[in-house]
Amino acid sequence: RMPIRTSTDEEVRSLDGLHVYHAKLSNSSMRVRLLLEEKGLTWTSHVLDATRQENLTDSYLRINPTSLIPALVHDGVVVTESSDILYYLEQHFPEPRFAPVEEREAAKTREWVDLAASSHPTTFKPWMYEVTGTRTKRREDMARYRQLQSDPDLVAFHQRSLDGFSGEEIADAVQRNHAILSRMQVVLDDAPWLAGVNYGLADIAWFPNVLLLDLLGFPTGDYPAVRRWLTAIHSRPTARGAIGSSALRLPGWLLRPIIRIRKALR
């Protein structure tokens, strides 16, 4: 199931150890960095700025032809899609363990991790793009992006983000976010973590999403059990290493205009 491949590019194949191509405020990148920190792994960082189209450069496309961020290169083997990177790291670096062994918790974990991936384009991103005014594609790059990206839904999403999401799309995204937080609230009322009694991949997959929703002003306070869960992960030293202390400190009312100003200056 994992999108794993050996690159045909000699330079990529020659990379030793763990190399992570990521973006600082990308929730998909954050979850990968968080697991790396939790496992105490040594890795080489390659930061990409999607707003500057650095994921469309020839050098990155040799690693991930779809241009999506993040990507992992492990001793020349390329793994893409953040959820699959989590499972790859768990498989190849099993200690400490974050994927449950017990079948019921393992099934719950897979369900939550899959939901984090599948809900991303319809639930999280439209609302975030609308609130921050952020776009990761420029109109002049869309023709090339259409040639590179084989997923028509992703192409359509980025075109809509440039044209502006409709009020109905934003309202739908808000409703979807509330539905997921409500589901989390029910689970976390009865257990400390999303898959049960142990902190694991389900929590790592969802922490960046909820963190960014909270920082950008979504009413996470309506879900007290989710807030307790968020605070518990906040308190882990690994979160500061993975997310950055500034992102954990900045209130949403300050973060939103900073993002807009940075975008305008570009």
Side-chain angles (χ1 to χ4, degrees):
R1 164 175 202 283
M2 290 184 192
I4 300 173
R5 65 183 183 85
T6 300
S7 175
T8 58
D9 185 83
E10 184 176 346
E11 184 177 345
V12 177
R13 288 202 310 271
S14 69
L15 291 173
D16 292 327
L18 292 168
H19 291 256
V20 182
Y21 297 78
H22 61 109
K24 288 185 178 179
L25 284 178
S26 154
N27 55 328
S28 299
S29 297
M30 287 180 186
R31 64 176 63 105
V32 170
R33 295 197 302 261
L34 182 54
L35 183 59
L36 289 163
E37 292 291 324
E38 294 284 5
K39 287 184 175 291
L41 296 172
T42 300
W43 54 285
T44 301
S45 171
H46 304 268
V47 178
L48 301 171
D49 186 343
T51 63
R52 295 181 183 272
Q53 313 305 304
E54 290 179 357
N55 58 318
L56 295 180
T57 61
D58 290 339
S59 60
Y60 185 64
L61 291 172
R62 288 198 297 270
I63 294 165
N64 188 359
T66 70
S67 80
L68 295 175
I69 304 171
L72 172 77
V73 181
H74 178 215
D75 291 337
V77 175
V78 179
V79 189
T80 57
E81 303 291 345
S82 64
S83 57
D84 293 295
I85 294 173
L86 296 184
Y87 278 103
Y88 179 91
L89 291 171
E90 189 70 11
Q91 177 182 336
H92 287 78
F93 304 93
E95 297 297 332
R97 177 177 292 278
F98 293 96
V101 176
E102 194 272 324
E103 185 176 346
R104 186 165 177 268
E105 288 194 0
K108 286 183 179 179
T109 295
R110 172 58 71 182
E111 186 177 359
W112 280 110
V113 173
D114 286 350
L115 180 62
S118 64
S119 65
H120 188 64
T122 58
T123 303
F124 179 77
K125 288 183 81 172
W127 182 84
M128 184 190 73
Y129 280 24
E130 181 69 15
V131 167
T132 63
T134 301
R135 302 292 182 267
T136 60
K137 297 288 178 289
R138 298 176 301 207
R139 290 190 183 278
E140 57 267 31
D141 293 311
M142 283 302 295
R144 186 176 184 219
Y145 183 67
R146 286 189 182 91
Q147 293 177 337
L148 296 169
Q149 181 51 257
S150 60
D151 186 339
D153 290 337
L154 279 173
V155 174
F157 170 83
H158 286 291
Q159 186 62 57
R160 289 201 309 279
S161 76
L162 287 170
D163 296 337
F165 293 105
S166 68
E168 291 78 8
E169 285 177 298
I170 300 304
D172 181 63
V174 169
Q175 184 178 16
R176 288 171 182 265
N177 277 307
H178 275 297
I180 290 173
L181 290 173
S182 296
R183 180 177 172 185
M184 295 176 73
Q185 174 73 21
V186 170
V187 171
L188 294 169
D189 262 337
D190 294 329
W193 306 108
L194 289 174
V197 297
N198 297 308
Y199 169 73
L201 292 187
D203 309 288
I204 290 169
W206 273 98
F207 170 68
N209 291 26
V210 180
L211 172 69
L212 288 176
L213 285 174
D214 182 59
L215 287 173
L216 294 172
F218 201 85
T220 57
D222 294 348
Y223 306 93
V226 176
R227 293 287 308 173
R228 289 193 298 271
W229 168 87
L230 189 66
T231 300
I233 304 179
H234 263 185
S235 67
R236 299 175 71 89
T238 49
R240 293 193 177 276
I243 311 301
S245 58
S246 59
L248 294 176
R249 285 199 308 264
L250 284 177
W253 63 265
L254 180 58
L255 184 63
R256 290 191 294 275
I258 287 175
I259 292 172
R260 286 196 175 107
I261 290 169
R262 290 182 64 193
K263 176 68 175 176
L265 289 175
R266 287 175 181 149

